[in-house]
Amino acid sequence: MKFPRPWRPRRPLFVPAALAALAALAPGALAAAAPTDLPAPEKGLNLLVVGIDSRKGVTAEEKERFRLGGQECDCTDVMMLVHISAENDRVDVVSLPRDSLTSFPDQHRDRRTGKLHAAHQSKINGAWAEGGSSFTVETVESMTGLPVHRYLEIDFRRFMDTVDRVDGGVPICTEKALKDPATGIDLAPGTKPVGGGEALQYVRSRKADGQMDFGRIQKQQKFVVNTLERLREGVLDDPDRLRGFAETLRGTGATERGISPAELLTLAARLHDLPPDRMGFATVPVRGFNPDIAGVGSTLAWDEKGAADVFGRLRDDHPLPAADEVAPSQIPVGTYAPTPGASLICP
């Protein structure tokens, strides 16, 4: 199987969202969650989590303080595919870089204008701008070969509000000083608890460590695990607080196959015994950069065999392949390196 590949829609059709990817999956206190329609597929459940670059609801003061005054891209700034095993004993998270090259099909409808587009190449993060949540889901299904059972999207406002529901903040840690003029983050080596605004600066940072978008993805994955650890210390033992957390995280917008707050609580109940070392984090294997494409710019090419191996494992409900089973990338910082969640917890 080749990735990306052409496809046809089955129907007419950030803020970083790493927090959303697994905060909703936290082991928790609601073993008696209300019945929902959340599926339990024989080969595991796939949740697509996306972060929308939207400043809607962010105040002028917050924009200035957290460096959020830039132009919105009207796109998914981050995409993470979360696979929950059928036995609920493992969670694997694969980040899909926003600059991944894909091809959109002929006659797909632009949600903004209602017009039909001819087939064209694009970055994967452009799917939301051209077709909303439904087109984003279809694009990811085409590129990965996996069904998307549920979808969750979160914007800047909801990210900050969700983090602020964690008493005492979420710890972030860095071995070296981290300073990014674009986001305004300025961290000394060590560990520091942060609230929503500073957390947003951290998970958006990609110009401080020379790791490009790959470094930002690693920060997001680390933030997910440390958020889970903080939730274990209070929120998960309080049903009302946990429900409020899930409702803030989910929001009220209608989306294609959108997960509900009740379904988030069902996931929490299903995964109540899951330890951090049973969570795996990776970025889809990439080969390197494509030549610049007119109207698209610089894009990433997935490693076709490596991507097929990764998504084939998830399709069969098996753990992610080990690092030495996938060829290294032409971009050293983008080499496939799956990481257990336990190793990402701040000291």
Short mmCIF file of all heavy atoms in Angstrom, two decimals, residues 85-155:
data_model
loop_
_atom_site.label_atom_id
_atom_site.label_comp_id
_atom_site.label_asym_id
_atom_site.label_seq_id
_atom_site.Cartn_x
_atom_site.Cartn_y
_atom_site.Cartn_z
N SER A 85 -6.64 0.11 22.05
CA SER A 85 -6.73 -1.32 21.72
C SER A 85 -8.08 -1.89 22.13
O SER A 85 -8.77 -1.37 23.02
CB SER A 85 -5.62 -2.10 22.43
OG SER A 85 -5.82 -2.12 23.82
N ALA A 86 -8.47 -2.98 21.47
CA ALA A 86 -9.77 -3.60 21.72
C ALA A 86 -9.89 -4.05 23.18
O ALA A 86 -10.99 -4.05 23.74
CB ALA A 86 -9.98 -4.78 20.77
N GLU A 87 -8.76 -4.44 23.79
CA GLU A 87 -8.77 -4.88 25.18
C GLU A 87 -8.62 -3.72 26.16
O GLU A 87 -8.56 -3.94 27.37
CB GLU A 87 -7.65 -5.91 25.40
CG GLU A 87 -7.80 -7.19 24.61
CD GLU A 87 -9.05 -7.96 24.99
OE1 GLU A 87 -9.40 -7.97 26.19
OE2 GLU A 87 -9.69 -8.53 24.09
N ASN A 88 -8.51 -2.51 25.64
CA ASN A 88 -8.33 -1.31 26.47
C ASN A 88 -7.09 -1.41 27.36
O ASN A 88 -7.06 -0.87 28.47
CB ASN A 88 -9.57 -1.07 27.35
CG ASN A 88 -10.82 -0.83 26.53
OD1 ASN A 88 -10.82 0.00 25.62
ND2 ASN A 88 -11.88 -1.56 26.83
N ASP A 89 -6.06 -2.09 26.84
CA ASP A 89 -4.84 -2.25 27.62
C ASP A 89 -3.64 -1.55 26.97
O ASP A 89 -2.50 -1.73 27.41
CB ASP A 89 -4.51 -3.74 27.81
CG ASP A 89 -4.29 -4.49 26.49
OD1 ASP A 89 -4.49 -3.88 25.40
OD2 ASP A 89 -3.92 -5.68 26.54
N ARG A 90 -3.91 -0.75 25.95
CA ARG A 90 -2.81 -0.05 25.27
C ARG A 90 -3.39 1.12 24.48
O ARG A 90 -4.48 1.01 23.90
CB ARG A 90 -2.08 -1.00 24.31
CG ARG A 90 -0.78 -0.46 23.74
CD ARG A 90 -0.15 -1.42 22.74
NE ARG A 90 -0.94 -1.52 21.52
CZ ARG A 90 -1.76 -2.51 21.22
NH1 ARG A 90 -1.90 -3.52 22.04
NH2 ARG A 90 -2.44 -2.50 20.09
N VAL A 91 -2.66 2.23 24.48
CA VAL A 91 -3.03 3.39 23.67
C VAL A 91 -1.80 3.80 22.87
O VAL A 91 -0.72 3.99 23.44
CB VAL A 91 -3.50 4.57 24.54
CG1 VAL A 91 -3.70 5.82 23.68
CG2 VAL A 91 -4.79 4.24 25.27
N ASP A 92 -1.95 3.91 21.56
CA ASP A 92 -0.87 4.36 20.69
C ASP A 92 -1.30 5.65 20.01
O ASP A 92 -2.40 5.74 19.46
CB ASP A 92 -0.53 3.30 19.63
CG ASP A 92 0.10 2.06 20.24
OD1 ASP A 92 1.12 2.21 20.92
OD2 ASP A 92 -0.44 0.96 20.03
N VAL A 93 -0.42 6.64 20.04
CA VAL A 93 -0.72 7.95 19.48
C VAL A 93 0.30 8.24 18.37
O VAL A 93 1.51 8.21 18.61
CB VAL A 93 -0.62 9.05 20.55
CG1 VAL A 93 -0.97 10.41 19.95
CG2 VAL A 93 -1.54 8.73 21.73
N VAL A 94 -0.20 8.52 17.17
CA VAL A 94 0.66 8.84 16.03
C VAL A 94 0.35 10.26 15.57
O VAL A 94 -0.79 10.55 15.16
CB VAL A 94 0.47 7.85 14.87
CG1 VAL A 94 1.41 8.20 13.71
CG2 VAL A 94 0.73 6.42 15.33
N SER A 95 1.34 11.14 15.64
CA SER A 95 1.17 12.51 15.17
C SER A 95 1.37 12.58 13.67
O SER A 95 2.27 11.92 13.12
CB SER A 95 2.17 13.43 15.88
OG SER A 95 1.90 13.52 17.25
N LEU A 96 0.54 13.36 13.00
CA LEU A 96 0.61 13.56 11.56
C LEU A 96 1.07 14.99 11.32
O LEU A 96 0.30 15.92 11.52
CB LEU A 96 -0.75 13.31 10.91
CG LEU A 96 -1.48 12.03 11.30
CD1 LEU A 96 -2.83 11.96 10.59
CD2 LEU A 96 -0.64 10.80 11.01
N PRO A 97 2.32 15.21 10.90
CA PRO A 97 2.81 16.59 10.72
C PRO A 97 1.92 17.39 9.79
O PRO A 97 1.45 16.89 8.77
CB PRO A 97 4.20 16.38 10.12
CG PRO A 97 4.63 15.03 10.61
CD PRO A 97 3.36 14.21 10.63
N ARG A 98 1.71 18.64 10.15
CA ARG A 98 0.77 19.48 9.41
C ARG A 98 1.22 19.73 7.98
O ARG A 98 0.39 20.05 7.12
CB ARG A 98 0.60 20.81 10.13
CG ARG A 98 1.87 21.63 10.22
CD ARG A 98 1.65 22.95 10.91
NE ARG A 98 2.81 23.82 10.81
CZ ARG A 98 2.81 25.09 11.18
NH1 ARG A 98 1.72 25.64 11.66
NH2 ARG A 98 3.88 25.82 11.06
N ASP A 99 2.53 19.62 7.68
CA ASP A 99 3.03 19.89 6.33
C ASP A 99 3.10 18.63 5.47
O ASP A 99 3.69 18.66 4.38
CB ASP A 99 4.42 20.53 6.41
CG ASP A 99 4.38 21.94 6.98
OD1 ASP A 99 3.33 22.59 6.88
OD2 ASP A 99 5.39 22.38 7.55
N SER A 100 2.50 17.53 5.92
CA SER A 100 2.49 16.30 5.12
C SER A 100 1.77 16.53 3.80
O SER A 100 0.67 17.10 3.77
CB SER A 100 1.79 15.17 5.89
OG SER A 100 2.43 14.91 7.12
N LEU A 101 2.37 16.08 2.72
CA LEU A 101 1.77 16.26 1.39
C LEU A 101 0.68 15.24 1.15
O LEU A 101 0.84 14.05 1.43
CB LEU A 101 2.83 16.14 0.30
CG LEU A 101 2.33 16.27 -1.15
CD1 LEU A 101 1.79 17.67 -1.41
CD2 LEU A 101 3.46 15.94 -2.13
N THR A 102 -0.44 15.70 0.61
CA THR A 102 -1.53 14.82 0.23
C THR A 102 -2.13 15.34 -1.07
O THR A 102 -1.74 16.39 -1.58
CB THR A 102 -2.60 14.73 1.33
OG1 THR A 102 -3.55 13.71 1.01
CG2 THR A 102 -3.32 16.05 1.51
N SER A 103 -3.09 14.59 -1.60
CA SER A 103 -3.81 15.01 -2.80
C SER A 103 -5.30 15.00 -2.50
O SER A 103 -5.84 14.00 -2.02
CB SER A 103 -3.51 14.05 -3.96
OG SER A 103 -2.15 14.11 -4.34
N PHE A 104 -5.96 16.11 -2.77
CA PHE A 104 -7.40 16.19 -2.59
C PHE A 104 -8.09 15.75 -3.88
O PHE A 104 -7.60 16.00 -4.98
CB PHE A 104 -7.83 17.61 -2.24
CG PHE A 104 -7.35 18.09 -0.90
CD1 PHE A 104 -7.29 19.44 -0.60
CD2 PHE A 104 -6.98 17.18 0.09
CE1 PHE A 104 -6.88 19.88 0.65
CE2 PHE A 104 -6.56 17.61 1.33
CZ PHE A 104 -6.50 18.96 1.61
N PRO A 105 -9.23 15.08 -3.77
CA PRO A 105 -9.90 14.51 -4.94
C PRO A 105 -10.63 15.54 -5.78
O PRO A 105 -10.92 16.65 -5.35
CB PRO A 105 -10.88 13.52 -4.32
CG PRO A 105 -11.25 14.17 -3.02
CD PRO A 105 -9.99 14.82 -2.53
N ASP A 106 -10.95 15.14 -6.98
CA ASP A 106 -11.72 16.00 -7.88
C ASP A 106 -13.14 16.17 -7.35
O ASP A 106 -13.72 15.24 -6.75
CB ASP A 106 -11.75 15.37 -9.28
CG ASP A 106 -12.23 16.36 -10.34
OD1 ASP A 106 -12.06 17.58 -10.13
OD2 ASP A 106 -12.74 15.91 -11.38
N GLN A 107 -13.69 17.36 -7.54
CA GLN A 107 -15.08 17.66 -7.19
C GLN A 107 -15.36 17.58 -5.68
O GLN A 107 -16.46 17.18 -5.27
CB GLN A 107 -16.03 16.72 -7.95
CG GLN A 107 -15.96 16.86 -9.47
CD GLN A 107 -16.42 18.25 -9.93
OE1 GLN A 107 -17.58 18.60 -9.76
NE2 GLN A 107 -15.52 19.02 -10.50
N HIS A 108 -14.38 17.93 -4.86
CA HIS A 108 -14.69 18.04 -3.43
C HIS A 108 -15.16 19.46 -3.14
O HIS A 108 -14.72 20.41 -3.75
CB HIS A 108 -13.48 17.65 -2.56
CG HIS A 108 -12.36 18.64 -2.55
ND1 HIS A 108 -11.36 18.66 -3.50
CD2 HIS A 108 -12.08 19.66 -1.70
CE1 HIS A 108 -10.51 19.64 -3.23
NE2 HIS A 108 -10.92 20.27 -2.15
N ARG A 109 -16.06 19.57 -2.17
CA ARG A 109 -16.74 20.84 -1.94
C ARG A 109 -16.06 21.64 -0.84
O ARG A 109 -15.74 21.11 0.23
CB ARG A 109 -18.20 20.59 -1.57
CG ARG A 109 -19.05 21.87 -1.54
CD ARG A 109 -20.52 21.54 -1.32
NE ARG A 109 -21.08 20.71 -2.39
CZ ARG A 109 -21.50 21.17 -3.55
NH1 ARG A 109 -21.41 22.46 -3.82
NH2 ARG A 109 -22.00 20.35 -4.46
N ASP A 110 -15.83 22.91 -1.11
CA ASP A 110 -15.22 23.83 -0.16
C ASP A 110 -16.29 24.29 0.83
O ASP A 110 -17.30 24.87 0.43
CB ASP A 110 -14.65 25.04 -0.91
CG ASP A 110 -13.77 25.92 -0.04
OD1 ASP A 110 -14.14 26.14 1.14
OD2 ASP A 110 -12.73 26.40 -0.52
N ARG A 111 -16.10 24.01 2.11
CA ARG A 111 -17.12 24.35 3.10
C ARG A 111 -17.29 25.86 3.25
O ARG A 111 -18.33 26.33 3.71
CB ARG A 111 -16.76 23.76 4.45
CG ARG A 111 -15.58 24.41 5.13
CD ARG A 111 -15.43 23.96 6.56
NE ARG A 111 -14.29 24.58 7.20
CZ ARG A 111 -14.31 25.78 7.76
NH1 ARG A 111 -15.41 26.48 7.75
NH2 ARG A 111 -13.23 26.28 8.30
N ARG A 112 -16.26 26.64 2.87
CA ARG A 112 -16.34 28.09 3.04
C ARG A 112 -17.15 28.75 1.94
O ARG A 112 -17.89 29.70 2.18
CB ARG A 112 -14.93 28.68 3.05
CG ARG A 112 -14.04 28.14 4.16
CD ARG A 112 -12.59 28.47 3.89
NE ARG A 112 -12.13 27.87 2.63
CZ ARG A 112 -10.91 28.01 2.13
NH1 ARG A 112 -10.04 28.74 2.78
NH2 ARG A 112 -10.58 27.42 1.01
N THR A 113 -17.04 28.26 0.73
CA THR A 113 -17.67 28.91 -0.43
C THR A 113 -18.77 28.08 -1.07
O THR A 113 -19.57 28.61 -1.83
CB THR A 113 -16.61 29.21 -1.50
OG1 THR A 113 -16.09 27.96 -2.01
CG2 THR A 113 -15.45 30.02 -0.92
N GLY A 114 -18.80 26.79 -0.78
CA GLY A 114 -19.76 25.91 -1.42
C GLY A 114 -19.34 25.47 -2.81
O GLY A 114 -20.03 24.67 -3.44
N LYS A 115 -18.20 25.96 -3.28
CA LYS A 115 -17.74 25.61 -4.62
C LYS A 115 -17.09 24.23 -4.65
O LYS A 115 -16.55 23.76 -3.66
CB LYS A 115 -16.74 26.66 -5.12
CG LYS A 115 -17.34 28.05 -5.32
CD LYS A 115 -16.28 29.02 -5.84
CE LYS A 115 -16.88 30.41 -6.05
NZ LYS A 115 -15.86 31.38 -6.54
N LEU A 116 -17.14 23.62 -5.83
CA LEU A 116 -16.47 22.34 -6.03
C LEU A 116 -15.06 22.60 -6.55
O LEU A 116 -14.85 23.40 -7.46
CB LEU A 116 -17.25 21.48 -7.03
CG LEU A 116 -18.63 21.00 -6.56
CD1 LEU A 116 -19.31 20.22 -7.69
CD2 LEU A 116 -18.50 20.13 -5.32
N HIS A 117 -14.09 21.90 -5.98
CA HIS A 117 -12.70 22.06 -6.37
C HIS A 117 -12.27 20.92 -7.29
O HIS A 117 -12.71 19.78 -7.14
CB HIS A 117 -11.79 22.04 -5.15
CG HIS A 117 -11.83 23.30 -4.34
ND1 HIS A 117 -11.24 24.46 -4.75
CD2 HIS A 117 -12.40 23.57 -3.14
CE1 HIS A 117 -11.42 25.40 -3.84
NE2 HIS A 117 -12.13 24.88 -2.85
N ALA A 118 -11.37 21.22 -8.20
CA ALA A 118 -10.71 20.17 -8.97
C ALA A 118 -9.67 19.50 -8.09
O ALA A 118 -9.30 20.02 -7.03
CB ALA A 118 -10.04 20.78 -10.21
N ALA A 119 -9.21 18.33 -8.50
CA ALA A 119 -8.16 17.63 -7.76
C ALA A 119 -6.92 18.52 -7.68
O ALA A 119 -6.58 19.20 -8.64
CB ALA A 119 -7.83 16.32 -8.45
N HIS A 120 -6.30 18.53 -6.52
CA HIS A 120 -5.07 19.29 -6.38
C HIS A 120 -4.27 18.79 -5.18
O HIS A 120 -4.81 18.15 -4.28
CB HIS A 120 -5.35 20.79 -6.24
CG HIS A 120 -6.08 21.17 -4.97
ND1 HIS A 120 -5.43 21.60 -3.84
CD2 HIS A 120 -7.40 21.20 -4.66
CE1 HIS A 120 -6.31 21.87 -2.89
NE2 HIS A 120 -7.52 21.64 -3.37
N GLN A 121 -2.97 19.09 -5.18
CA GLN A 121 -2.12 18.73 -4.07
C GLN A 121 -2.24 19.78 -2.97
O GLN A 121 -2.55 20.94 -3.21
CB GLN A 121 -0.67 18.60 -4.52
CG GLN A 121 -0.42 17.41 -5.43
CD GLN A 121 1.03 17.31 -5.85
OE1 GLN A 121 1.57 18.23 -6.44
NE2 GLN A 121 1.66 16.18 -5.55
N SER A 122 -1.99 19.35 -1.74
CA SER A 122 -2.12 20.25 -0.61
C SER A 122 -1.38 19.68 0.59
O SER A 122 -1.00 18.49 0.60
CB SER A 122 -3.60 20.43 -0.24
OG SER A 122 -3.75 21.21 0.93
N LYS A 123 -1.15 20.52 1.58
CA LYS A 123 -0.72 20.02 2.88
C LYS A 123 -1.94 19.44 3.60
O LYS A 123 -3.06 19.88 3.40
CB LYS A 123 -0.12 21.15 3.71
CG LYS A 123 1.15 21.74 3.11
CD LYS A 123 1.67 22.90 3.95
CE LYS A 123 2.92 23.50 3.32
NZ LYS A 123 3.47 24.63 4.12
N ILE A 124 -1.69 18.46 4.43
CA ILE A 124 -2.80 17.79 5.11
C ILE A 124 -3.60 18.76 5.96
O ILE A 124 -4.81 18.59 6.13
CB ILE A 124 -2.27 16.61 5.97
CG1 ILE A 124 -3.43 15.73 6.43
CG2 ILE A 124 -1.43 17.10 7.13
CD1 ILE A 124 -2.97 14.46 7.15
N ASN A 125 -2.97 19.81 6.50
CA ASN A 125 -3.69 20.72 7.37
C ASN A 125 -4.69 21.61 6.61
O ASN A 125 -5.49 22.31 7.22
CB ASN A 125 -2.74 21.58 8.20
CG ASN A 125 -1.99 22.62 7.39
OD1 ASN A 125 -1.92 22.54 6.16
ND2 ASN A 125 -1.39 23.58 8.07
N GLY A 126 -4.67 21.55 5.28
CA GLY A 126 -5.62 22.32 4.49
C GLY A 126 -6.97 21.65 4.33
O GLY A 126 -7.92 22.27 3.86
N ALA A 127 -7.09 20.39 4.75
CA ALA A 127 -8.36 19.68 4.58
C ALA A 127 -9.48 20.34 5.38
O ALA A 127 -10.61 20.46 4.90
CB ALA A 127 -8.21 18.22 4.99
N TRP A 128 -9.18 20.79 6.58
CA TRP A 128 -10.21 21.42 7.41
C TRP A 128 -10.70 22.72 6.78
O TRP A 128 -11.90 23.01 6.78
CB TRP A 128 -9.67 21.67 8.82
CG TRP A 128 -10.71 22.06 9.81
CD1 TRP A 128 -11.48 21.23 10.56
CD2 TRP A 128 -11.09 23.39 10.17
NE1 TRP A 128 -12.33 21.96 11.37
CE2 TRP A 128 -12.10 23.30 11.14
CE3 TRP A 128 -10.67 24.66 9.76
CZ2 TRP A 128 -12.70 24.42 11.72
CZ3 TRP A 128 -11.27 25.78 10.33
CH2 TRP A 128 -12.27 25.65 11.30
N ALA A 129 -9.77 23.51 6.24
CA ALA A 129 -10.15 24.78 5.64
C ALA A 129 -11.06 24.58 4.43
O ALA A 129 -11.99 25.36 4.20
CB ALA A 129 -8.90 25.56 5.22
N GLU A 130 -10.84 23.51 3.68
CA GLU A 130 -11.61 23.29 2.45
C GLU A 130 -12.89 22.47 2.66
O GLU A 130 -13.79 22.52 1.83
CB GLU A 130 -10.74 22.63 1.39
CG GLU A 130 -9.64 23.53 0.88
CD GLU A 130 -9.03 23.04 -0.43
OE1 GLU A 130 -9.64 22.18 -1.09
OE2 GLU A 130 -7.94 23.52 -0.77
N GLY A 131 -12.94 21.71 3.75
CA GLY A 131 -14.12 20.86 3.90
C GLY A 131 -14.56 20.60 5.32
O GLY A 131 -15.45 19.77 5.54
N GLY A 132 -13.96 21.27 6.30
CA GLY A 132 -14.38 21.08 7.68
C GLY A 132 -14.02 19.72 8.24
O GLY A 132 -13.16 19.01 7.73
N SER A 133 -14.71 19.34 9.31
CA SER A 133 -14.37 18.10 10.01
C SER A 133 -14.58 16.86 9.14
O SER A 133 -13.79 15.91 9.19
CB SER A 133 -15.19 17.98 11.29
OG SER A 133 -16.58 17.98 11.02
N SER A 134 -15.64 16.86 8.32
CA SER A 134 -15.91 15.67 7.51
C SER A 134 -14.79 15.43 6.50
O SER A 134 -14.33 14.30 6.32
CB SER A 134 -17.24 15.82 6.78
OG SER A 134 -17.24 16.96 5.93
N PHE A 135 -14.32 16.49 5.86
CA PHE A 135 -13.26 16.34 4.87
C PHE A 135 -11.93 15.99 5.54
O PHE A 135 -11.11 15.25 5.00
CB PHE A 135 -13.13 17.64 4.06
CG PHE A 135 -12.30 17.50 2.81
CD1 PHE A 135 -12.54 16.50 1.89
CD2 PHE A 135 -11.27 18.39 2.55
CE1 PHE A 135 -11.78 16.38 0.74
CE2 PHE A 135 -10.50 18.28 1.41
CZ PHE A 135 -10.76 17.28 0.50
N THR A 136 -11.71 16.51 6.74
CA THR A 136 -10.51 16.15 7.51
C THR A 136 -10.51 14.67 7.84
O THR A 136 -9.50 13.98 7.66
CB THR A 136 -10.45 16.98 8.80
OG1 THR A 136 -10.38 18.37 8.46
CG2 THR A 136 -9.25 16.60 9.64
N VAL A 137 -11.64 14.17 8.31
CA VAL A 137 -11.75 12.75 8.64
C VAL A 137 -11.49 11.89 7.41
O VAL A 137 -10.74 10.91 7.45
CB VAL A 137 -13.14 12.45 9.24
CG1 VAL A 137 -13.41 10.95 9.26
CG2 VAL A 137 -13.25 13.03 10.65
N GLU A 138 -12.13 12.24 6.29
CA GLU A 138 -11.96 11.46 5.07
C GLU A 138 -10.51 11.48 4.58
O GLU A 138 -9.99 10.47 4.09
CB GLU A 138 -12.89 12.02 3.97
CG GLU A 138 -14.37 11.89 4.27
CD GLU A 138 -14.89 10.47 4.04
OE1 GLU A 138 -14.14 9.65 3.48
OE2 GLU A 138 -16.03 10.20 4.44
N THR A 139 -9.85 12.63 4.69
CA THR A 139 -8.46 12.73 4.26
C THR A 139 -7.56 11.84 5.09
O THR A 139 -6.70 11.12 4.56
CB THR A 139 -7.98 14.20 4.34
OG1 THR A 139 -8.78 15.01 3.48
CG2 THR A 139 -6.53 14.33 3.93
N VAL A 140 -7.74 11.85 6.41
CA VAL A 140 -6.91 11.02 7.29
C VAL A 140 -7.19 9.54 7.04
O VAL A 140 -6.27 8.72 7.01
CB VAL A 140 -7.15 11.39 8.76
CG1 VAL A 140 -6.50 10.38 9.70
CG2 VAL A 140 -6.59 12.79 9.04
N GLU A 141 -8.44 9.20 6.84
CA GLU A 141 -8.76 7.80 6.54
C GLU A 141 -8.07 7.35 5.26
O GLU A 141 -7.55 6.22 5.18
CB GLU A 141 -10.27 7.61 6.43
CG GLU A 141 -11.00 7.69 7.76
CD GLU A 141 -12.47 7.40 7.62
OE1 GLU A 141 -13.06 7.75 6.57
OE2 GLU A 141 -13.05 6.83 8.56
N SER A 142 -8.05 8.20 4.26
CA SER A 142 -7.43 7.85 3.00
C SER A 142 -5.93 7.67 3.14
O SER A 142 -5.35 6.72 2.62
CB SER A 142 -7.72 8.94 1.96
OG SER A 142 -6.95 8.74 0.81
N MET A 143 -5.29 8.59 3.86
CA MET A 143 -3.84 8.57 3.98
C MET A 143 -3.33 7.45 4.88
O MET A 143 -2.23 6.94 4.68
CB MET A 143 -3.33 9.91 4.47
CG MET A 143 -3.52 11.05 3.48
SD MET A 143 -2.76 12.58 4.05
CE MET A 143 -1.01 12.18 3.85
N THR A 144 -4.11 7.07 5.88
CA THR A 144 -3.65 6.06 6.83
C THR A 144 -4.22 4.67 6.56
O THR A 144 -3.66 3.68 7.02
CB THR A 144 -4.05 6.45 8.27
OG1 THR A 144 -5.48 6.45 8.38
CG2 THR A 144 -3.50 7.83 8.62
N GLY A 145 -5.32 4.59 5.84
CA GLY A 145 -5.98 3.30 5.63
C GLY A 145 -6.73 2.83 6.86
O GLY A 145 -7.17 1.68 6.91
N LEU A 146 -6.93 3.70 7.85
CA LEU A 146 -7.62 3.34 9.08
C LEU A 146 -8.97 4.04 9.17
O LEU A 146 -9.11 5.19 8.76
CB LEU A 146 -6.78 3.75 10.31
CG LEU A 146 -5.49 2.99 10.55
CD1 LEU A 146 -4.68 3.67 11.65
CD2 LEU A 146 -5.79 1.55 10.94
N PRO A 147 -9.97 3.38 9.74
CA PRO A 147 -11.25 4.07 9.97
C PRO A 147 -11.11 5.02 11.16
O PRO A 147 -10.44 4.72 12.14
CB PRO A 147 -12.21 2.92 10.29
CG PRO A 147 -11.34 1.87 10.91
CD PRO A 147 -10.01 1.96 10.19
N VAL A 148 -11.74 6.17 11.07
CA VAL A 148 -11.81 7.10 12.18
C VAL A 148 -13.19 6.97 12.81
O VAL A 148 -14.20 7.29 12.18
CB VAL A 148 -11.57 8.55 11.72
CG1 VAL A 148 -11.83 9.54 12.86
CG2 VAL A 148 -10.13 8.72 11.20
N HIS A 149 -13.23 6.46 14.04
CA HIS A 149 -14.51 6.22 14.69
C HIS A 149 -15.06 7.45 15.40
O HIS A 149 -16.27 7.65 15.45
CB HIS A 149 -14.37 5.07 15.70
CG HIS A 149 -13.87 3.80 15.10
ND1 HIS A 149 -12.58 3.34 15.28
CD2 HIS A 149 -14.47 2.91 14.27
CE1 HIS A 149 -12.42 2.20 14.62
NE2 HIS A 149 -13.56 1.92 14.00
N ARG A 150 -14.16 8.25 15.97
CA ARG A 150 -14.58 9.47 16.66
C ARG A 150 -13.58 10.59 16.39
O ARG A 150 -12.41 10.35 16.07
CB ARG A 150 -14.71 9.24 18.17
CG ARG A 150 -15.92 8.43 18.57
CD ARG A 150 -17.20 9.19 18.29
NE ARG A 150 -18.40 8.46 18.72
CZ ARG A 150 -19.07 7.62 17.97
NH1 ARG A 150 -18.66 7.36 16.73
NH2 ARG A 150 -20.16 7.02 18.44
N TYR A 151 -14.06 11.83 16.54
CA TYR A 151 -13.29 13.01 16.18
C TYR A 151 -13.43 14.05 17.28
O TYR A 151 -14.50 14.23 17.86
CB TYR A 151 -13.84 13.55 14.86
CG TYR A 151 -13.30 14.89 14.39
CD1 TYR A 151 -12.19 14.96 13.55
CD2 TYR A 151 -13.94 16.08 14.76
CE1 TYR A 151 -11.72 16.20 13.09
CE2 TYR A 151 -13.48 17.30 14.29
CZ TYR A 151 -12.36 17.35 13.47
OH TYR A 151 -11.91 18.57 13.02
N LEU A 152 -12.32 14.74 17.59
CA LEU A 152 -12.33 15.80 18.59
C LEU A 152 -11.46 16.94 18.10
O LEU A 152 -10.31 16.72 17.73
CB LEU A 152 -11.78 15.25 19.92
CG LEU A 152 -11.59 16.25 21.06
CD1 LEU A 152 -12.94 16.82 21.52
CD2 LEU A 152 -10.88 15.57 22.23
N GLU A 153 -12.01 18.15 18.07
CA GLU A 153 -11.22 19.31 17.69
C GLU A 153 -11.27 20.36 18.80
O GLU A 153 -12.25 20.48 19.53
CB GLU A 153 -11.67 19.91 16.35
CG GLU A 153 -12.99 20.61 16.35
CD GLU A 153 -13.33 21.22 14.98
OE1 GLU A 153 -13.05 20.57 13.95
OE2 GLU A 153 -13.89 22.33 14.96
N ILE A 154 -10.18 21.11 18.92
CA ILE A 154 -10.05 22.08 20.00
C ILE A 154 -9.31 23.29 19.49
O ILE A 154 -8.36 23.16 18.71
CB ILE A 154 -9.33 21.44 21.21
CG1 ILE A 154 -9.27 22.39 22.40
CG2 ILE A 154 -7.95 20.96 20.84
CD1 ILE A 154 -8.80 21.71 23.69
N ASP A 155 -9.77 24.48 19.89
CA ASP A 155 -9.12 25.71 19.46
C ASP A 155 -8.34 26.32 20.62
O ASP A 155 -8.28 25.75 21.72
CB ASP A 155 -10.13 26.69 18.88
CG ASP A 155 -11.23 27.08 19.88
OD1 ASP A 155 -11.06 26.82 21.10
OD2 ASP A 155 -12.24 27.65 19.45
#
